Amino acid sequence: MKKKHFKYINTLLVVVPMTLIMAFVGLMRTYGFGENWHIRFFNTWIIMAPVAYVSAFLIIPNARKLAEKIAIRE
């Protein structure tokens, strides 16, 4: 696999389970297992996943730079 593709797939494999967990926890805290909870869960996740995926590409490079600065100081 090319390194270019690895970055996108790796990010997807992190974002999907993380957003599934976050959507589930948020939904259960707010509504519980009420009527049609699975539809609310899917609607929440379908919005959350693409936002998190795009955000990851904005946050990861900045986090890497900050971590390198912190590591250099120690």
Side-chain angles (χ1 to χ4, degrees):
M1 179 183 308
K2 294 181 181 177
K3 190 173 184 176
K4 177 184 175 184
H5 296 120
F6 177 81
K7 177 174 73 169
Y8 297 112
I9 293 171
N10 184 51
T11 303
L12 182 67
L13 292 175
V14 171
V15 166
V16 168
M18 185 171 37
T19 55
L20 284 169
I21 293 166
M22 292 171 59
F24 182 76
V25 170
L27 190 69
M28 291 306 111
R29 281 196 49 147
T30 305
Y31 299 108
F33 283 106
E35 188 175 329
N36 296 325
W37 70 269
H38 55 286
I39 295 170
R40 285 185 178 170
F41 170 76
F42 181 73
N43 288 337
T44 300
W45 180 77
I46 205 74
I47 298 297
M48 186 182 288
V51 171
Y53 188 72
V54 171
S55 298
F57 286 109
L58 299 173
I59 293 169
I60 290 172
N62 294 325
R64 185 175 291 129
K65 289 176 189 174
L66 180 61
E68 288 172 354
K69 286 182 183 179
I70 292 170
I72 290 172
R73 290 182 185 170
E74 294 181 6

